[in-house]
Amino acid sequence: MRITKEKAAENRASLIKAAARLFREHGIDGVGVADISKAAKLTHGALYAHFPSKEALAAEALAYGTKDGNEYLKSLDKDDDPDLGKYLEYYLSPRHRDNLAVSCSMAASASEIGRQDEAVSASFSEGFNDMVELVEASLGDSAVQATAHERALAIVAAMIGGVAVARATAKSRPKLSEQVLRATRAILAEIGGMEPRTSSSRTVRKVKKAA
Amino acid sequence: MRITKEKAAENRASLIKAAARLFREHGIDGVGVADISKAAKLTHGALYAHFPSKEALAAEALAYGTKDGNEYLKSLDKDDDPDLGKYLEYYLSPRHRDNLAVSCSMAASASEIGRQDEAVSASFSEGFNDMVELVEASLGDSAVQATAHERALAIVAAMIGGVAVARATAKSRPKLSEQVLRATRAILAEIGGMEPRTSSSRTVRKVKKAA
DNA sequence: TGTACATCAGTGAACGCGCGTTCACTGATGTAC
DNA sequence: TGTACATCAGTGAACGCGCGTTCACTGATGTAC
């Protein structure tokens, strides 16, 4: 039952999309090839026609999950000015913490990546670099003595850590979880050179474009 | 073949210790009860005499891994003055990144905890709180406008994120991995109110005890 | 445009294997007398 | 102190199940003539 090239490409994309969502929700080890194939409305045999192994699919799913599959990046297309305040507000929000299915793949799987093969690590690194560039382009002046690139690296790692910790504490200590999000948001905004914002004030000073 | 109470308690401790090490190295989903029992020189049946389930053992192993099983905390006993600089230097070092077996359980499993049950989350929260207290007690003055507790929360989450990201990038981009460690170390030291340090200068100004 | 056939995406049964958990049993320990 | 026996930590076979991967097969697509 051969199908058209277009349909085959669609199926391949479906597998990646389903894998990205399921890996974010249940971890890479927590999802089987049967689950992924089923979610993509295919059989596991079809999965192996497109990818040599589950780990190869994981590498592609992670790449997708940090680019096209990134909810925030998608909403950004029309926005011309990178805005760290907006990004932090989204990324370190209870909404982003709780919506694993469409959240940042890096935060969802951070501690698992190091145990996968190099291709998975490479996808993470690429996604991480993209995110650092996005942050670096939106940095303002800061009292912190460090180059924009150094600050951007630390900010992104701290964002990922903040969400990972907020998720880890959510079940047993929901208030602690929100304190972590709030504190991380506030301090990263300061490092980034944003003006400190109160929780009631929703407007953020636009920072000058660095690029 | 009943054994003494003392030996039984030892065996229980062995199971927790073995579980803590193996979970750190391979993730909670990446280790089976057979592996843990074998490492503790017991059979899996004995494991179930001590713990109702693998997840219950995971909760205890995580609690152990953030307290008695924490390499840094152990070396601290004699030290009277909490020193954030020393802590950051250890925690955000390539050595700590690479030695999973004896590293911080929170950084090793951060993104997996949210998928386990509440008992595991509770162990994480407790370990996290302990670490926040340790950091808070060693905070100096800072240009960053936030309370000591807020700064401590953000610093600890960023430490965990820094190590998780450094591990995730290590296989594909070792230089990036070290940059992440260095940048996170430098910026957290500044937030903590330490004097900025060059990489060649190994001595750190002792900060005043907050407690 | 029509025919013949090679291609290959997708199917589904089967592979060996390890998973978490249960349970009947063992036998030295710990206790009651 | 000596005897009788209940306790229970630990053993190891067995449970059903899902895992990642392989492979013979199908049949419409895509291509060569």
Side-chain angles (χ1 to χ4, degrees):
Chain A
M1 46 168 72
R2 195 183 190 189
I3 49 134
T4 64
K5 274 185 177 177
E6 287 75 28
K7 186 64 193 162
E10 269 177 45
N11 287 345
R12 193 190 141 90
S14 288
L15 285 164
I16 292 172
K17 213 171 166 178
R21 194 184 73 248
L22 290 170
F23 286 156
R24 285 191 276 223
E25 286 181 308
H26 307 108
I28 298 171
D29 283 350
V31 176
V33 290
D35 301 320
I36 299 165
S37 317
K38 203 177 175 186
K41 283 166 185 169
L42 291 164
T43 59
H44 51 277
L47 189 152
Y48 282 90
H50 287 292
F51 308 97
S53 68
K54 184 194 175 187
E55 206 148 36
L57 171 56
E60 293 226 35
L62 189 60
Y64 170 82
T66 58
K67 289 186 201 295
D68 315 76
N70 185 309
E71 199 196 29
Y72 183 78
L73 286 183
K74 259 187 177 170
S75 78
L76 215 68
D77 285 9
K78 51 182 187 251
D79 232 22
D80 42 354
D81 240 11
D83 184 333
L84 180 60
K86 267 191 194 165
Y87 196 14
L88 290 174
E89 199 177 326
Y90 160 74
Y91 200 94
L92 293 160
S93 68
R95 184 177 156 267
H96 180 231
R97 176 195 62 193
D98 299 335
N99 276 268
L100 270 165
V102 295
S103 80
C104 169
S105 290
M106 289 183 282
S109 304
S111 64
E112 286 182 272
I113 307 297
R115 295 175 190 118
Q116 308 296 322
D117 68 12
E118 202 193 304
V120 178
S121 171
S123 288
F124 183 99
S125 295
E126 222 176 291
F128 180 74
N129 265 336
D130 290 348
M131 195 166 151
V132 169
E133 270 176 39
L134 188 70
V135 166
E136 195 174 340
S138 63
L139 284 182
D141 294 329
S142 169
V144 174
Q145 297 177 10
T147 67
H149 187 63
E150 275 180 314
R151 281 191 284 150
L153 281 173
I155 286 170
V156 173
M159 285 168 77
I160 292 171
V163 172
V165 169
R167 279 180 185 148
T169 53
K171 267 183 195 154
S172 61
R173 302 281 303 276
K175 277 184 189 169
L176 173 62
S177 179
E178 303 213 3
Q179 279 167 18
V180 169
L181 291 178
R182 203 179 321 120
T184 305
R185 216 188 300 135
I187 273 143
L188 295 189
E190 290 203 50
I191 297 172
M194 321 279 314
E195 274 172 343
R197 310 186 304 112
T198 60
S199 59
S200 60
S201 150
R202 292 257 128 195
T203 52
V204 183
R205 176 175 66 97
K206 278 265 176 178
V207 293
K208 64 167 187 279
K209 227 173 170 175
Chain B
M1 47 167 72
R2 194 183 190 188
I3 50 134
T4 64
K5 275 184 176 177
E6 287 75 28
K7 186 64 191 159
E10 267 178 46
N11 287 345
R12 192 190 142 89
S14 289
L15 285 164
I16 292 173
K17 214 171 166 177
R21 192 184 76 247
L22 291 169
F23 286 155
R24 285 191 275 224
E25 287 180 307
H26 308 108
I28 298 172
D29 284 349
V31 177
V33 289
D35 302 319
I36 299 165
S37 318
K38 203 177 176 186
K41 284 168 185 166
L42 291 164
T43 58
H44 51 276
L47 188 153
Y48 282 91
H50 286 292
F51 309 96
S53 67
K54 184 195 176 187
E55 206 147 37
L57 171 57
E60 294 225 35
L62 190 59
Y64 170 82
T66 59
K67 291 187 201 292
D68 316 74
N70 184 310
E71 198 195 29
Y72 183 78
L73 287 183
K74 259 187 178 170
S75 78
L76 217 68
D77 285 9
K78 52 182 186 255
D79 232 22
D80 43 352
D81 239 13
D83 185 333
L84 181 60
K86 267 191 195 165
Y87 197 14
L88 291 173
E89 200 176 326
Y90 159 75
Y91 200 95
L92 292 159
S93 68
R95 183 177 157 269
H96 180 231
R97 175 195 62 193
D98 299 335
N99 276 266
L100 270 165
V102 294
S103 80
C104 171
S105 290
M106 289 183 282
S109 305
S111 64
E112 285 182 273
I113 306 297
R115 296 175 190 119
Q116 308 295 324
D117 69 11
E118 203 193 304
V120 178
S121 171
S123 288
F124 183 99
S125 296
E126 221 174 294
F128 180 75
N129 265 335
D130 290 349
M131 195 166 151
V132 169
E133 269 175 40
L134 188 71
V135 166
E136 195 174 338
S138 64
L139 284 182
D141 294 330
S142 168
V144 174
Q145 298 177 9
T147 67
H149 187 63
E150 276 180 314
R151 281 191 283 150
L153 282 173
I155 287 170
V156 174
M159 284 168 78
I160 292 171
V163 173
V165 169
R167 279 180 184 147
T169 53
K171 268 182 194 154
S172 61
R173 302 280 302 276
K175 276 184 191 169
L176 173 62
S177 179
E178 303 213 3
Q179 278 167 18
V180 169
L181 291 178
R182 204 179 320 120
T184 305
R185 216 188 299 135
I187 273 144
L188 295 189
E190 289 205 49
I191 297 171
M194 320 277 315
E195 272 172 342
R197 312 185 301 114
T198 60
S199 58
S200 60
S201 150
R202 289 258 129 194
T203 52
V204 182
R205 175 177 66 97
K206 276 262 177 180
V207 293
K208 63 166 186 277
K209 225 172 171 175

